[in-house]
Amino acid sequence: MKRLLFVFSLGLCASALAEPPYVDEDDPYALPPWVESDYTLPAYPKDENLVEFNVDGAPNLKAYVDKTAIGAGTPDSVIRYILVVKTNGGAVNVSYEGVRCDTSEYRIYATGTLEKTWSKARVSEWRRFKIYNQAQKSLANNYFCPNFVPIGSAREGLNALREGVHPAVGRRNYF
């Protein structure tokens, strides 16, 4: 009997994940479905606008955010930014990205080219943080998403970057 209940429970869980959540259109407290705001690609970053931040657990990386391209306080609550990551070996990756604090997801909109222009990302979808997203996770955990709440302005994010951590962040990692 226990085995049958376990199998039945697994079936319910699988079917719940396969279908979109039920939304009662007559419920006055129901939240509208999330819709991403339009965005435009910013100017390519200049070295003088880069602010370095610490990447947790990655001493071989230097990571920077372009202080002129932090987008916060948008209706969709996405924090958009330019991320520049440099390795000790000399590799440099430049990307225009967004982070959703409430869902622990990030999205790459575009990547930098050798000609210092943007190339739209071939795959640009919201993804959960993985172990290899150290720079994105550190940026979200320590600067842009204190306690899963998005910063309210670019100034707030820039102040957190300059201080080395957002004042609302405790000493634990979230993502």
Side-chain angles (χ1 to χ4, degrees), residues 82-142:
I82 293 174
L83 176 64
V84 178
V85 177
K86 299 179 181 181
T87 67
N88 287 343
V92 178
N93 291 310
V94 179
S95 53
Y96 181 58
E97 304 182 357
V99 64
R100 290 185 63 195
C101 301
D102 60 336
T103 61
S104 305
E105 294 176 303
Y106 76 100
R107 178 180 177 189
I108 299 174
Y109 298 103
T111 56
T113 68
L114 292 174
E115 294 80 28
K116 297 191 177 197
T117 60
W118 292 115
S119 174
K120 289 231 179 198
R122 285 182 272 156
V123 177
S124 182
E125 58 193 30
W126 290 102
R127 297 178 179 180
R128 303 273 301 166
F129 289 109
K130 303 287 185 204
I131 196 164
Y132 52 82
N133 301 116
Q134 292 169 309
Q136 289 93 340
K137 286 193 303 188
S138 291
L139 197 56
N141 281 337
N142 300 322

Side-chain angles (χ1 to χ4, degrees), residues 137-170:
K137 286 193 303 188
S138 291
L139 197 56
N141 281 337
N142 300 322
Y143 306 98
F144 290 168
C145 300
N147 303 313
F148 297 100
V149 177
I151 55 172
S153 67
R155 177 174 291 196
E156 182 182 355
L158 187 55
N159 287 340
L161 288 164
R162 288 182 175 149
E163 293 297 320
V165 69
H166 193 283
V169 171

Side-chain angles (χ1 to χ4, degrees), residues 4 8 20 28-30 46 77 86 97 103 118 175:
L4 180 61
F8 179 72
Y29 302 106
K46 296 179 181 176
S77 298
K86 299 179 181 181
E97 304 182 357
T103 61
W118 292 115
F175 302 123

Side-chain angles (χ1 to χ4, degrees), residues 40-58:
T40 56
L41 294 176
Y44 201 82
K46 296 179 181 176
D47 287 341
E48 61 266 19
N49 294 330
L50 299 180
V51 178
E52 187 173 0
F53 68 94
N54 183 47
V55 178
D56 295 333

